[in-house]
Amino acid sequence: MQKVKNPQKNMSCELSPYPKISLPKSQARSIINIQDRKIGDGYFLSIAGSCAVESEEQIFQTASAIQKSGAQVLRGGAFKPRSSPYDFQGLGEKGLQYLHAAAKNYDLICVSEVMDTSDIQLVAQYVDILQVGSRNMHNFSLLKALGKINKPILLKRGFAATYHEFLLAAEYIAHNGNDQIILCERGIRTFEQETRNCLDLAAVPVIQEKSRLPIIVDPSHGTGKRSLIAPMTKAAIACGADGVMIEVHPTPDAARTDSMQTISTESFHQLMKEINASN
Ligand code: PEP
Ligand code: MN
């Protein structure tokens, strides 16, 4: 909270830099309801699936497995923000169709990334939650346009963004009319080379002190390493995350994108069992 002077009344009052998403003392935390699945204020959401939708068979197998393990949301990228233009860019609309069909078939809801303002309507036709990727957290045209739709947004933290910038990005969406926002801590870039990103779990309680919005943790992009997914998922839950998003594939070694950080459907099943047993 910033203390500012109110010149008209010549007294000081408190103005939040994020009036739409802040957590005033009297106000309860947000619960976002997505097709009868809830997240926030004690409701935990598990999102799982492959980095990219690779084929109809692959996403159906993934959906079947994660549903049996107790996840509620199927993820899969159809428009992939790859560092190299020569890497697999995703299946585009075909990928969205496969994702949607797989989610429906297994009574899941689904999330996929939208990279460009001009694709919002297309992506929104097929998914229940639209994801803004880390590289687009500062894309203000995209944030403003997503504020004008009536679907939940999963906003990932920019890999070099402060908490303040992260919350302001969410405020852009809310200020434009859409306050169904789920924040996602996905790791930031530091000097450490051992992990792909530095998963900043302090973001969870810090953001929860400042904002009423739910915040989930993505240990897959946050670490870049299969072996770290289980411990960091448990750590995310321990520090109060409202959900997790984990990359899962029936044959992780063969995954076309982010193979090193993707766990098998069996490992995911085991992890979900452990999580449920300790809660
Ligand atoms: C993703 O979730 O597939 C992704 C590309 O994540 P990020 O934007 O966090 O890198
Ligand atoms: Mn990925």
Side-chain angles (χ1 to χ4, degrees):
M1 288 282 188
Q2 208 182 0
K3 283 260 183 201
V4 294
K5 271 260 195 230
N6 180 338
Q8 266 153 6
K9 292 192 175 158
N10 197 26
M11 57 188 275
S12 79
C13 64
E14 281 191 341
L15 273 190
S16 165
Y18 341 99
K20 294 279 198 299
I21 63 159
S22 67
L23 183 66
K25 284 186 183 61
S26 55
Q27 199 180 329
R29 309 201 63 80
S30 298
I31 297 173
I32 300 176
N33 198 324
I34 320 156
Q35 320 269 346
D36 292 332
R37 283 78 168 177
K38 290 193 174 94
I39 177 169
D41 201 24
Y43 291 98
F44 189 86
L45 198 70
S46 313
I47 307 175
S50 47
C51 180
V53 178
E54 298 173 0
S55 68
E56 188 173 21
E57 190 190 2
Q58 174 270 329
I59 200 69
F60 268 72
Q61 277 179 15
T62 307
S64 163
I66 65 139
Q67 193 261 4
K68 284 193 190 86
S69 303
Q72 296 129 298
V73 188
L74 177 67
R75 63 150 287 151
F79 295 97
K80 294 304 302 174
R82 305 307 303 282
S83 299
S84 165
Y86 306 111
D87 289 338
F88 176 53
Q89 304 285 307
L91 298 180
E93 186 170 4
K94 205 88 232 115
L96 293 172
Q97 287 167 350
Y98 295 152
L99 179 77
H100 176 82
K104 264 224 135 31
N105 198 60
Y106 292 100
D107 194 27
L108 296 161
I109 56 173
C110 64
V111 56
S112 199
E113 178 164 350
V114 59
M115 283 178 21
D116 198 291
T117 310
S118 62
D119 291 330
I120 291 176
Q121 290 315 321
L122 175 74
V123 177
Q125 265 179 52
Y126 294 104
V127 305
D128 304 289
I129 307 169
L130 286 88
Q131 177 173 320
V132 177
S134 187
R135 291 154 192 81
N136 260 325
M137 192 210 81
H138 290 290
N139 182 340
F140 298 114
S141 314
L142 184 62
L143 300 176
K144 284 183 198 172
L146 289 170
K148 300 199 167 70
I149 69 166
N150 185 21
K151 283 219 166 174
I153 309 299
L154 175 59
L155 176 65
K156 299 190 88 174
R157 180 181 180 186
F159 55 73
T162 63
Y163 300 146
H164 184 57
E165 290 165 333
F166 188 20
L167 288 168
L168 284 173
E171 185 74 15
Y172 257 97
I173 300 172
H175 175 69
N176 281 276
N178 183 0
D179 71 349
Q180 303 170 80
I181 305 163
I182 301 165
L183 302 169
C184 178
E185 165 58 40
R186 51 76 74 204
I188 51 174
R189 189 167 280 181
T190 67
F191 50 80
E192 183 53 64
Q193 302 293 305
E194 185 73 20
T195 44
R196 181 179 180 188
N197 287 290
C198 185
L199 185 59
D200 178 15
L201 288 181
V204 173
V206 171
I207 297 282
Q208 286 173 342
E209 277 176 12
K210 293 179 184 292
S211 172
R212 61 186 171 78
L213 298 177
I215 176 164
I216 69 166
V217 169
D218 169 357
S220 307
H221 296 86
T223 65
K225 278 195 170 172
R226 244 174 243 172
S227 63
L228 301 179
I229 306 307
M232 297 316 285
T233 297
K234 292 171 190 170
I237 294 168
C239 72
D242 297 295
V244 285
M245 179 158 78
I246 300 175
E247 288 187 335
V248 178
H249 192 286
T251 49
D253 285 335
R256 292 189 72 181
T257 58
D258 286 349
S259 165
M260 300 303 283
Q261 67 193 36
T262 298
I263 61 172
S264 65
T265 50
E266 293 80 12
S267 304
F268 181 67
H269 194 75
Q270 178 61 27
L271 176 57
M272 291 291 277
K273 238 169 70 183
E274 287 170 18
I275 291 169
N276 290 329
S278 64
N279 279 296

